[in-house]
Amino acid sequence: MIVFWRLFLAVTLTDFVFFHKTLHKQQESHLKAMAIRSLAFAILALLFCHRYLTMGWPFLEEVTLPGWVCILLFALFHGFTDYYFHFGGKYKWGYTLSFFVKNFVNVLFLVLIAPFETLYETGNFFAEPWVVFLVGLLLATRVLGWFIFAIEQDKYGRDYPTFDEQWMLAMMRAIFFLIMLLPGLRWAVAFIVWIGACLYARKIRLLDIPAWAFLISSFGAAFIGFLVRLRFYLVG
């Protein structure tokens, strides 16, 4: 699982951190955006998995290929999904469908190429805590944000969120995530205090988001934090 989580981290960074407004607008009609996404993933994945690039990976469970070849093949597939898997404007809830379909097929591809025998290096499903922490933080801050944005596109036809808006909400979710990592029962007190502060901020429109988006942000980030908490406190 060492390689899988490192690849997953590379995908998450590529899709939800380095993917800015310009590329978002170009992805449906420009091969340039696809190439940039593929290249960004390939660089990150090769860097993160440099220790495993020459070992044999079970590509699609059919043939064994060197790790670097599997990464480059996935990079091409990743760019392909970004360019072609767009249903927004074509179907009801098309943007939300695109979010789920693209991420599902990419994670499935990772499962089919990752050399899971590396699990035996540690005997631990979540082998590297620093990678699990970063993945959890990105899921809570950026991935949840993109999920909410996809729903807003379908419901309201809204434009790409402003820099201030997306980062303020990301910081709110980051605090919910980090609260869950506090030792003992301190997280419960901190959670109550922070959700109260966020509700007040929403009341005075400092956080100008609908109720459903606030619930997804707060409880979604807290749930992800809880899962990461299990790794740090329950897994030896």
Side-chain angles (χ1 to χ4, degrees):
M1 295 303 291
I2 292 175
V3 171
F4 173 80
W5 287 115
R6 291 190 178 203
L7 291 173
F8 191 84
L9 177 60
V11 169
T12 308
L13 285 170
T14 302
D15 282 0
F16 301 104
V17 176
F18 302 144
F19 193 48
H20 55 77
K21 182 177 181 179
T22 301
L23 288 179
H24 175 74
K25 290 184 175 180
Q26 291 182 349
Q27 67 178 348
E28 297 185 31
S29 57
H30 291 78
L31 289 173
K32 178 182 177 181
M34 179 183 75
I36 292 174
R37 293 280 283 268
S38 296
L39 181 61
F41 168 80
I43 292 173
L44 288 173
L46 291 171
L47 178 64
F48 292 163
C49 301
H50 66 278
R51 293 174 52 194
Y52 309 98
L53 297 180
T54 57
M55 69 181 296
W57 293 17
F59 184 74
L60 303 183
E61 303 295 334
E62 295 292 335
V63 61
T64 299
L65 297 174
W68 65 271
V69 175
C70 291
I71 287 175
L72 294 181
L73 290 173
F74 176 81
L76 293 176
F77 176 79
H78 185 56
F80 170 84
T81 60
D82 287 332
Y83 187 73
Y84 288 103
F85 286 16
H86 286 282
F87 311 115
K90 302 175 184 178
Y91 306 100
K92 185 177 182 181
W93 297 100
Y95 290 104
T96 305
L97 179 63
S98 297
F99 177 90
F100 281 112
V101 170
K102 287 194 296 183
N103 286 290
F104 173 78
V105 297
N106 279 292
V107 172
L108 178 60
F109 199 110
L110 291 184
V111 170
L112 294 177
I113 68 171
F116 287 100
E117 60 267 21
T118 54
L119 169 65
Y120 299 115
E121 292 185 9
T122 62
N124 192 330
F125 185 80
F126 300 107
E128 298 174 298
W130 70 271
V131 175
V132 173
F133 172 79
L134 289 177
V135 167
L137 182 62
L138 290 173
L139 288 174
T141 55
R142 300 296 292 165
V143 178
L144 273 182
W146 276 98
F147 173 58
I148 292 170
F149 173 50
I151 296 176
E152 288 179 327
Q153 284 182 296
D154 287 321
K155 287 175 65 70
Y156 315 123
R158 70 156 299 172
D159 294 328
Y160 191 89
T162 64
F163 178 85
D164 291 344
E165 177 186 1
Q166 60 178 311
W167 285 103
M168 177 180 290
L169 294 175
M171 291 304 101
M172 179 196 77
R173 292 189 292 269
I175 294 175
F176 275 113
F177 170 81
L178 294 172
I179 281 173
M180 301 306 295
L181 302 183
L182 292 174
L185 294 177
R186 299 175 190 174
W187 66 267
V189 177
F191 180 85
I192 293 172
V193 172
W194 182 239
I195 200 168
C198 291
L199 286 171
Y200 177 74
R202 183 171 177 267
K203 180 179 179 180
I204 63 175
R205 302 188 71 82
L206 181 61
L207 291 176
D208 190 13
I209 56 175
W212 64 265
F214 177 77
L215 291 174
I216 292 175
S217 289
S218 55
F219 290 97
F223 178 71
I224 294 170
F226 174 76
L227 295 179
V228 175
R229 176 188 180 86
L230 296 180
R231 168 60 184 89
F232 283 93
Y233 291 101
L234 298 183
V235 178

